Amino acid sequence: MAPQRLLLLFIFLFYFSSFPSTARFITGPSSPTDLVSDGISTVKNPPFLSLKPLFSAEESCEQTYGFLPCTTTVLGNLFLIIVYGYLMFLAATYLSNGSELLLEILGPGIVGGLFLPILGALPDAMLILVSGLSGTAETAQDQVSVGMGLLAGSTVMLLTVIWGSCVVVGRCDIRDSVAVDGTITKGFHLTETGVSTDIWTCYAASIMAISVIPFVIVQLPQVLNSTSGRHLAVLIALIISVSMLVSYCVYQVFQPWIQRRRLAFVKHKHVISGILRHLKKQAFGKLLTEDGEPNTEIIRKLFETIDENGDGRLSPSELKAFIIGIRFEEIDFDKDDAVMKVMADFDTSLDSYIQKEEFVRGITKWINEAKQTGGAYLEPNAGTFKFIDQFHQQTKREHALLGSEEQSDEVVEHVENPRWISFKAVLMLLLGTLIAAAFADPLVDAVDNFSTATSIPSFFISFIALPLATNSSEAVSAIIFATRKKQRTASLTFSELYGAVTMNNVLCLSVFLALVYVRGLTWDFSSEVLVILIVCIVMGAFASFRTTFPLWTCSIAYILYPFSLALVYVLDYVFGWS
């Protein structure tokens, strides 16, 4: 209850301290001396007595919704931003917690793929929406920079400060180019400590980099110095952005199913490689002929050693006993499922038994597949080919890159009282949505008023301050999750960061482009778009082609943040880019 009490205290102090403050002079009948000591002065501009509000910008302000307090002072508007920013942070927290509760009950498909990304981007989308709906088109054009600043600031903060911090707190010792779960003995070594992720995280980074395409399209008329095609470019970018949003949500919904299917396929490949290695050892290196072809005579003899009852065929029980006797190096899989898949590969006669010739043909097929995958490498001092071992090592690495199919620590398999949890989750989601919708407009007004009072461009206020409000809960959650120092938690952490940026680039941008198109606003955010493109493409390309990030990689992220801010300032306010 402490946050709620602190919030009430903020609102109480704010309401009674931030009403418009203006000075006025007491006037009355003329005084023969015109002295202040007479009690009344008719002097319109007294030379020494002038009571003005601290850092006053205007003499009046308009209350949002007609009742929310407002102020014309710098300190008052700063306090406004803090209070409304905290409310947006509270909304983001409710949305995040409600989404996690719902995820425990309904699973990662629809909820994790569709609802969570949209709800995570909802506070940003609300702020962008109200920034372009305020007042006349001229007012909207002035305030829409707040929305663009928030969009750029959220993207840059997630991919720089938060990304780098997750690498620092999640680092483990790196051995054989992979971070070892839960092991940190080398402190802050720049190259021998870091984090590792799975291949799905690389895909998420690639999708994030691709999601900047609408930015490129809407920016083309500015690059070509064309004014006639700007409105059409906004419409085309809007259509593509909405299409990418739908496609991304569909992909997220089906990703768990795709991941399970691919992991099952890789486990079957590992069974194949394990059986081939075992047979190679049983054959004392004679499984292959001198030219690297399958040795059918040796394969027939191996079949006879597996055929326990000597009936000339392998039953499922004999095959299972053979598979259980093979050491598969700590990769767990369903033995019965493995038997079924091997039977499906070998049993061409469909009689539920593997005949000797079927066994020979099946092993020969596997060897040829391993040869294509592993390459024909000669073992030193042996004269036999090493591609079976190469194939085995590659399947192990593929399994590691795909990650475990186990549920995360937060997912509860058997939830107690699911009805109450569902009600609580929906209530938190509704409360978070209502808070975000109610206080987005006052926050935008406060930023705009603060910008007017201080002559600081509203873009920089929204670029630096607003992302702290709308992304704080997500950032704290990501950093805490990364401290568990496991490949799975690191993969989930970075995937969520890339997913949040992707939703910024498709959902929030769609809202922004719709406002620009419907209200006939001018798109003049070249420097801001350039910053988004640079950060997304650099970090997206960097994370798309590697799964291990040594500690030194966090320096790239940390450098990008001040670089982005400086670039916008130089282009906009030194060279006048727009």
Side-chain angles (χ1 to χ4, degrees), residues 376-526:
Y377 297 100
L378 282 172
E379 291 182 343
N381 304 322
T384 59
F385 288 82
K386 197 178 180 181
F387 59 81
I388 291 178
D389 291 334
Q390 296 287 339
F391 177 61
H392 184 73
Q393 293 299 322
Q394 181 173 339
T395 56
K396 284 179 60 180
R397 179 164 178 79
E398 286 181 9
H399 183 273
L401 288 176
L402 286 175
S404 172
E405 76 278 17
E406 296 176 358
Q407 292 178 318
S408 65
D409 296 339
E410 283 72 27
V411 179
V412 180
E413 294 183 359
H414 303 288
V415 180
E416 296 182 2
N417 200 357
R419 181 173 298 179
W420 163 247
I421 292 180
S422 300
F423 175 77
K424 184 179 179 181
V426 172
L427 189 63
M428 295 178 75
L429 292 175
L430 288 175
L431 184 59
T433 303
L434 289 175
I435 293 175
F439 293 99
D441 193 15
L443 180 56
V444 172
D445 290 339
V447 170
D448 192 53
N449 292 335
F450 183 80
S451 172
T452 303
T454 60
S455 299
I456 299 175
S458 58
F459 171 84
F460 288 103
I461 302 171
S462 56
F463 185 93
I464 298 173
L466 295 191
L468 295 176
T470 59
N471 295 292
S472 291
S473 61
E474 189 174 32
V476 172
S477 175
I479 293 174
I480 292 176
F481 212 48
T483 57
R484 299 185 182 182
K485 299 182 183 298
K486 294 182 179 180
Q487 181 189 22
R488 174 167 176 77
T489 55
S491 300
L492 291 174
T493 297
F494 288 104
S495 293
E496 288 180 2
L497 291 180
Y498 302 145
V501 174
T502 302
M503 292 304 293
N504 281 346
N505 293 344
V506 290
L507 175 60
C508 295
L509 181 62
S510 296
V511 174
F512 198 90
L513 290 172
L515 288 171
V516 173
Y517 182 80
V518 172
R519 303 214 62 183
L521 306 179
T522 303
W523 180 274
D524 54 356
F525 304 103
S526 299

Side-chain angles (χ1 to χ4, degrees), residues 268-288:
H268 180 52
K269 284 180 63 177
H270 188 74
V271 171
I272 293 173
S273 67
I275 292 176
L276 289 178
R277 287 188 74 205
H278 182 78
L279 293 178
K280 180 184 174 183
K281 292 178 181 178
Q282 295 292 104
F284 300 103
K286 298 179 181 180
L287 186 61
L288 308 172

Side-chain angles (χ1 to χ4, degrees), residues 118 121-130 150 504 507-508 511 515:
I118 293 177
L122 185 61
D124 288 359
M126 287 288 186
L127 285 169
I128 292 171
L129 181 64
V130 300
L150 173 63
N504 281 346
L507 175 60
C508 295
V511 174
L515 288 171

Side-chain angles (χ1 to χ4, degrees), residues 124-356:
D124 288 359
M126 287 288 186
L127 285 169
I128 292 171
L129 181 64
V130 300
S131 70
L133 290 178
S134 303
T136 63
E138 291 76 12
T139 303
Q141 185 68 52
D142 180 57
Q143 290 194 349
V144 80
S145 61
V146 175
M148 177 52 72
L150 173 63
L151 182 59
S154 295
T155 296
V156 172
M157 187 186 76
L158 290 171
L159 292 181
T160 57
V161 178
I162 307 305
W163 192 97
S165 299
C166 289
V167 172
V168 173
V169 301
R171 72 192 186 284
C172 298
D173 292 348
I174 295 179
R175 298 174 189 170
D176 298 327
S177 301
V178 177
V180 182
D181 285 356
T183 304
I184 178 66
T185 62
K186 299 178 181 179
F188 288 88
H189 199 287
L190 294 179
T191 58
E192 296 184 9
T193 61
V195 298
S196 290
T197 61
D198 57 30
I199 195 66
W200 301 99
T201 309
C202 295
Y203 297 159
S206 301
I207 293 172
M208 178 193 70
I210 295 172
S211 67
V212 301
I213 291 177
F215 284 104
V216 177
I217 294 174
V218 76
Q219 199 62 33
L220 280 178
Q222 277 77 2
V223 175
L224 300 176
N225 198 22
S226 171
T227 57
S228 58
R230 293 190 178 187
H231 201 59
L232 179 61
V234 170
L235 178 60
I236 295 174
L238 174 60
I239 294 173
I240 294 178
S241 181
V242 172
S243 301
M244 294 180 71
L245 172 62
V246 174
S247 301
Y248 178 72
C249 290
V250 171
Y251 169 76
Q252 288 292 86
V253 168
F254 287 100
Q255 181 183 344
W257 176 80
I258 297 171
Q259 185 171 354
R260 286 192 295 268
R261 289 290 302 272
R262 186 167 175 184
L263 187 61
F265 174 73
V266 170
K267 282 188 174 183
H268 180 52
K269 284 180 63 177
H270 188 74
V271 171
I272 293 173
S273 67
I275 292 176
L276 289 178
R277 287 188 74 205
H278 182 78
L279 293 178
K280 180 184 174 183
K281 292 178 181 178
Q282 295 292 104
F284 300 103
K286 298 179 181 180
L287 186 61
L288 308 172
T289 61
E290 293 183 356
D291 58 356
E293 295 300 321
N295 192 333
T296 56
E297 292 300 322
I298 296 296
I299 295 175
R300 289 190 178 92
K301 292 181 180 180
L302 292 172
F303 173 85
E304 294 171 359
T305 62
I306 302 173
D307 183 15
E308 295 178 352
N309 57 13
D311 61 353
R313 60 184 185 178
L314 296 181
S315 65
S317 59
E318 289 175 320
L319 184 59
K320 182 177 180 180
F322 171 67
I323 291 176
I324 291 175
I326 299 175
R327 182 181 177 184
F328 285 96
E329 299 185 4
E330 300 180 355
I331 293 182
D332 186 27
F333 56 88
D334 189 335
K335 302 298 189 297
D336 293 324
D337 182 66
V339 170
M340 292 177 57
K341 289 181 178 177
V342 173
M343 291 290 293
D345 279 356
F346 284 25
D347 183 20
T348 55
S349 61
L350 303 178
D351 60 353
S352 299
Y353 291 94
I354 300 177
Q355 311 296 333
K356 181 180 292 187

